Amino acid sequence: MSIDRDALKREAALAAVAMVEDGMVVGLGTGSTAAFAIEGLIARVRDGLKIVGIPTSERSAKQAREGGIALTDFGQHDRVDLTIDGADEIARDSLDLIKGLGGALLREKIVAAASGRLVIVADEPKLVPGLGGTVPLPVEVVPFGWQTTLNRIAALGAKAVLRAGADGEPFRSDGGNLILDCHFGLMADPAGLEEEISNTIGVVETGLFIGMATTVLVATATGIIRLDR
């Protein structure tokens, strides 16, 4: 029997949406699962929920705005009560994350770092014993001299490639930066690696989210698993 992964992701997203309360500043994540959460928030706002959102991408901003969610920014609010976002990998024991395959990792990390709670929603294949075994690590870099930045990251043990967009041209983030997809394989020390990459000249941000998730809601064929830090 085939599993409807979108239905499972929607179920996890709606479980996260149920945690949102009147008056909250809500971080709006990016990606397919986060889009289901925004969809759920739009429905609740239409039913009378009063929130403001800080989106992590232009794509999420557009969806929220068109659905009637009032948007704000860090000029108006310096803290976010709760952020709902997805992840590309979730380490089962630590709840550390790899994010950024959708290209919004910098804004996602800024919002996550300002959040009282970061709620991650995902389907079961994203939950893994350790990070790096199934996806590359996205690293956002400045365009100038990106080749030298790639070489520095490769020296840390990665096979790094410049991400291309659908048109074959280099992918650009909302901030105008490039993304290197870095294949490290299974990471023995994600926190140490995050520090090494962050200290690399030319790097803007990494897709390693260490110690940031407070709750993970994983949709499985038999129901939602909730993991709390």
Side-chain angles (χ1 to χ4, degrees):
M1 185 177 68
S2 65
I3 296 173
D4 185 344
R5 289 185 64 175
D6 278 350
L8 293 177
K9 286 195 273 191
R10 182 179 275 109
E11 187 180 351
L14 293 180
V17 166
M19 299 167 70
V20 176
E21 299 172 5
D22 253 337
M24 280 187 169
V25 179
V26 181
L28 307 175
T30 295
S32 60
T33 311
F36 290 134
I38 296 171
E39 184 183 280
L41 286 170
I42 289 168
R44 287 197 62 195
V45 165
R46 287 175 178 165
D47 286 340
L49 178 71
K50 292 179 172 56
I51 60 169
V52 292
I54 296 185
T56 57
S57 66
E58 299 303 326
R59 185 175 35 178
S60 293
K62 181 175 186 289
Q63 180 190 0
R65 193 182 297 112
E66 290 177 352
I69 296 176
L71 299 183
T72 187
D73 58 34
F74 287 115
Q76 306 300 315
H77 299 87
D78 60 0
R79 289 288 293 164
V80 175
D81 295 299
L82 183 147
T83 292
I84 304 173
D85 208 344
D88 302 306
E89 278 189 344
I90 305 157
R92 181 184 293 274
D93 292 337
S94 64
L95 304 190
D96 291 337
L97 316 169
I98 286 180
K99 291 175 52 54
L101 292 188
L105 63 107
L106 174 60
R107 294 189 185 186
E108 287 173 337
K109 193 173 274 192
I110 290 170
V111 172
S115 298
R117 286 187 285 166
L118 174 60
V119 180
I120 296 296
V121 290
D123 57 348
E124 198 167 14
K126 305 290 177 62
L127 193 61
V128 295
L131 297 180
T134 66
V135 298
L137 172 65
V139 177
E140 189 159 340
V141 301
V142 294
F144 180 80
W146 68 265
Q147 299 90 341
T148 68
T149 310
L150 183 150
N151 290 339
R152 291 187 187 98
I153 293 173
L156 298 176
K159 179 187 175 190
V161 294
L162 180 67
R163 183 180 299 183
D167 58 0
E169 294 298 309
F171 175 88
R172 296 272 179 164
S173 70
D174 284 343
N177 296 313
L178 302 175
I179 291 183
L180 304 178
D181 288 316
C182 304
H183 299 260
F184 283 95
L186 202 59
M187 298 172 188
D189 179 14
L193 183 61
E194 203 275 336
E195 187 174 356
E196 281 190 303
I197 299 171
S198 294
N199 288 335
T200 300
I201 294 167
V203 168
V204 177
E205 192 51 85
T206 87
L208 280 166
F209 284 52
I210 306 296
M212 301 185 86
T214 51
T215 299
V216 171
L217 299 171
V218 183
T220 74
T222 55
I224 303 289
I225 297 171
R226 176 171 172 154
L227 303 170
D228 291 291
R229 181 177 299 282

